[in-house]
Amino acid sequence: MFSNEVVSVEGRPEPGDTVRVFDRREFLGSGMYNPHSLIAVRLYSDREREFDLDFIKERLRAAREYRGEVLSGEEDYRLCYGEGDGLPGLVVDKYGRHFVVQSHALAVERRLELVTRALLDSFEVESVYEKNDFRLRDPEGLPRREGPLHGVPGRQVPIAEAGARFQVDIALGQKTGWYFDQRVTRRRVREFARGRRFLDVFSYSGGFAVNAALGGAETVVAVDSSVTATGLGAANAAHNGVAECCEFRLEEAFRYLTGLARDRGGFDMVCLDPPAFIKAKREREGGLRGYRTINTLAMRLLPPGGILVTSSCSHHLFWQDFLDMLVGAARDAGREFTILERTSQGPDHPVLLSMPESEYLRCFILRVA
Ligand code: SAH
């Protein structure tokens, strides 16, 4: 519930308290309250419930059970995706026995000790690490910080995703260390990459690049503007025994693609997985221009039969907007495409039917006609 939807407040709830929420007379449920945030109330139950240790344990165990169903055999995944798992404001990533926690809400922040306790009671735990150094916390009035809540995570935590093996640097890596959300599209890339010359733009630690190589790509070039990212990527390629066909380059994406366009590239499959260009509604126009430019540049590289895997993780860019942008980019590039597939965030980022905002990752796999 946004702050402008709150008609009246009874009693004297403090920021971070839990409240009961009514729509006129009708009881809606229990929520976390923060009058300083744009999201004044986050509903966490449709009943009258305490937000206590038992509740957190119940929800985390349900989250694990669900992942056991939809990601059978996997040990590494997003264990808790906020509202999608009935725990608004809480993100937990599970790297085997190492857990990384992020909180987006004051009421959760106050209960990080309980969250840690719930994890210790329900899982085999080596470490719990708080990675709360992101910008989205500022409007909630939460300080940025990170550090261990229990134990110490190793520098190279091994994970597996559909049989591919990666090492995650929890403290040094971006976000929580690994982008679990792209697991579905990475599988597709592995299937489509056979015999292709693959370019991974915005590669981070090589999630797509390694999958392309494992899928039998002839050559793989991965570019990222972060030296930490390219270092992690090269190590991950070696870890999977595919270092020989992979090259990780420190490059600014727009400049690199512009340069390739001049000398006609030499790739027949390109993956674009940029950071969110539209982080707020007011960034929409500039962000759309960025998406259009980068997609046009990538499309121009592709020969007939070439494949483009293009993603947006901008919450504010909906499917139709993304599609319209791609139509414009294809026109600029002078190419026609067919849509092979559209994919989204994996099942460990469950989308609530009643909450369209919980879907943010959108990908198209296109083939030059
Ligand atoms: N594809 C990755 C995730 C990409 S996250 C995966 O599957 O894990 C976005 C990446 O883009 C980050 O690693 C960031 O360092 C990189 N990046 C951001 N701006 C960039 C730019 N202008 N040029 C190149 N890389 C950039």
Side-chain angles (χ1 to χ4, degrees):
M1 289 177 63
F2 293 105
S3 49
N4 62 359
E5 295 172 307
V6 178
V7 177
S8 69
V9 179
E10 285 167 30
R12 289 227 172 80
E14 295 284 321
D17 280 354
T18 57
V19 290
R20 286 178 297 155
V21 184
F22 294 83
D23 184 5
R24 284 173 241 265
R25 284 274 134 74
E26 191 195 344
F27 178 66
L28 284 184
S30 306
M32 315 168 187
Y33 180 62
N34 186 355
H36 304 317
S37 167
L38 197 61
I39 307 173
V41 181
R42 294 169 192 256
L43 282 171
Y44 62 87
S45 173
D46 56 5
R47 286 182 292 151
E48 197 163 333
R49 287 273 332 235
E50 288 298 316
F51 185 12
D52 55 10
L53 180 62
D54 279 345
F55 176 76
I56 298 170
K57 271 200 221 173
E58 191 184 295
R59 291 282 154 104
L60 288 179
R61 287 174 183 177
R64 173 177 57 190
E65 204 168 297
Y66 160 72
R67 281 151 183 84
E69 274 171 38
V70 292
L71 292 173
S72 145
E74 301 287 321
E75 286 298 328
D76 313 301
Y77 44 70
R78 176 147 293 185
L79 169 67
C80 179
Y81 174 59
E83 279 83 356
D85 285 294
L87 280 167
L90 177 66
V91 166
V92 183
D93 278 351
K94 175 180 182 300
Y95 302 108
R97 297 178 181 191
H98 298 278
F99 295 77
V100 181
V101 173
Q102 293 185 320
S103 66
H104 298 247
L106 187 58
V108 173
E109 185 86 355
R110 298 239 174 105
R111 290 167 175 80
L112 280 183
E113 242 175 73
L114 292 186
V115 171
T116 306
R117 169 63 29 219
L119 288 169
L120 288 168
D121 287 352
S122 315
F123 296 83
E124 280 185 59
V125 177
E126 219 171 300
S127 75
V128 182
Y129 193 82
E130 175 187 10
K131 198 88 189 268
N132 273 329
D133 54 345
F134 52 92
R135 207 178 58 159
L136 258 177
R137 284 169 61 87
D138 304 349
E140 280 278 330
L142 300 172
R144 299 192 204 185
R145 61 156 187 254
E146 72 168 274
L149 296 170
H150 173 89
V152 185
R155 288 305 303 276
Q156 294 176 331
V157 176
I159 64 159
E161 191 181 282
R165 297 179 306 127
F166 299 93
Q167 287 179 334
V168 175
D169 192 323
I170 289 172
L172 202 66
Q174 296 176 18
K175 302 280 173 76
T176 69
W178 178 252
Y179 293 94
F180 281 120
D181 55 358
Q182 283 286 23
R183 72 168 70 239
V184 173
T185 314
R186 289 197 193 107
R187 272 308 281 276
R188 288 289 174 269
V189 161
R190 204 192 296 180
E191 287 156 17
F192 283 125
R194 172 161 302 280
R196 291 187 180 265
R197 290 157 300 156
F198 183 82
L199 174 62
D200 182 1
V201 187
F202 306 99
S203 66
Y204 184 45
S205 57
F208 283 106
V210 165
N211 271 287
L214 289 174
E218 200 178 287
T219 58
V220 174
V221 175
V223 302
D224 199 287
S225 59
S226 147
V227 68
T228 315
T230 52
L232 292 169
N236 279 328
H239 201 52
N240 285 277
V242 293
E244 224 147 79
C245 68
C246 293
E247 183 192 352
F248 282 83
R249 300 175 62 115
L250 186 64
E251 302 276 0
E252 198 289 314
F254 286 79
R255 198 174 323 137
Y256 182 70
L257 284 173
T258 306
L260 284 182
R262 260 198 304 275
D263 33 276
R264 292 252 136 229
F267 296 100
D268 51 14
M269 185 163 174
V270 179
C271 175
L272 296 178
D273 185 20
F277 287 164
I278 308 173
K279 293 199 179 74
K281 278 193 189 134
R282 68 190 137 73
E283 296 174 3
R284 198 183 148 81
E285 221 173 290
L288 268 172
R289 257 198 314 275
Y291 283 116
R292 180 144 169 180
T293 303
I294 203 118
N295 278 280
T296 304
L297 289 168
M299 286 171 170
R300 281 203 184 122
L301 296 180
L302 291 170
I307 291 178
L308 176 66
V309 182
T310 182
S311 301
S312 155
C313 59
S314 295
H315 274 91
H316 301 279
L317 190 70
F318 297 102
W319 284 105
Q320 192 60 46
D321 308 323
F322 191 26
L323 196 60
D324 290 346
M325 179 279 297
L326 288 171
V327 170
R331 198 183 311 125
D332 293 350
R335 294 279 191 290
E336 181 62 279
F337 289 87
T338 54
I339 300 175
L340 290 180
E341 240 175 279
R342 53 191 96 188
T343 54
S344 181
Q345 58 215 59
D348 49 350
H349 293 62
V351 177
L352 283 184
L353 188 61
S354 61
M355 188 185 170
E357 298 90 338
S358 55
E359 183 181 55
Y360 67 94
L361 186 61
R362 298 170 176 93
C363 321
F364 282 94
I365 306 181
L366 305 176
R367 182 177 184 277
V368 182

